[in-house]
Amino acid sequence: MKTKRRSLTLQEIADVIGADQAQHLISQIGGITHYFPDNCQQGRHVALDQIVWEAMCKHFAGWVYIPKGHANRLDARNAEIRKKRAAGAGIVDLAIEYSLSDRQIRTICGGDFASKMPTVELGRMP
């Protein structure tokens, strides 16, 4: 018999154990497939407290992929960048603050590259 595996979203996990506990869970075991037994008394992952362990076993028994939450962090970071840019922060300042290129900042902010890029006129050689 083939074992069924399930991928969870961060929202599904948060709906069961709460947003703070979900963030803690993905920081501890995010990015791996983990087994939650039907009988939560069969042991528990050392990084999880008993209440979280029991809730995960009850709602998601079996092999479950726990997401890393990377996309959620990127969405939050990008929203923060757009907010700071709208408030007047400079592209280069944001690029340095977030360790990104100025092109990435422009793309995140909806990048109208032509109007925001400085132009340089090259002189002709004699």
Side-chain angles (χ1 to χ4, degrees):
M1 183 170 133
K2 189 172 182 180
T3 303
K4 186 175 181 181
R5 294 175 190 253
R6 179 176 176 195
S7 291
L8 297 177
T9 65
L10 183 57
Q11 187 61 54
E12 287 175 303
I13 296 169
D15 288 346
V16 171
I17 63 174
D20 291 339
Q21 288 289 353
Q23 288 293 337
H24 179 71
L25 177 75
I26 65 170
S27 74
Q28 296 297 310
I29 61 172
I32 64 167
T33 300
H34 192 76
Y35 182 73
F36 294 97
D38 290 326
N39 177 358
C40 61
Q41 302 306 319
Q42 291 179 347
R44 102 182 137 81
H45 192 284
V46 294
L48 307 179
D49 67 27
Q50 190 65 31
I51 294 169
V52 170
W53 175 255
E54 289 175 7
M56 293 297 290
C57 291
K58 179 180 176 185
H59 293 278
F60 307 117
W63 287 101
V64 177
Y65 175 75
I66 306 295
K68 291 175 86 172
H70 184 69
N72 296 71
R73 288 190 298 274
L74 283 180
D75 289 345
R77 180 206 66 188
N78 291 349
E80 188 176 288
I81 289 170
R82 284 189 288 274
K83 183 178 178 182
K84 287 181 178 182
R85 179 69 180 135
I91 299 251
V92 172
D93 294 331
L94 290 169
I96 292 168
E97 180 180 346
Y98 290 93
S99 299
L100 298 171
S101 69
D102 60 346
R103 183 176 290 263
Q104 288 171 302
I105 297 296
R106 284 188 182 88
T107 299
I108 290 166
C109 295
D112 176 9
F113 290 95
S115 67
K116 294 180 176 120
M117 293 294 290
T119 58
V120 176
E121 291 195 28
L122 299 175
R124 290 193 173 147
M125 293 187 66

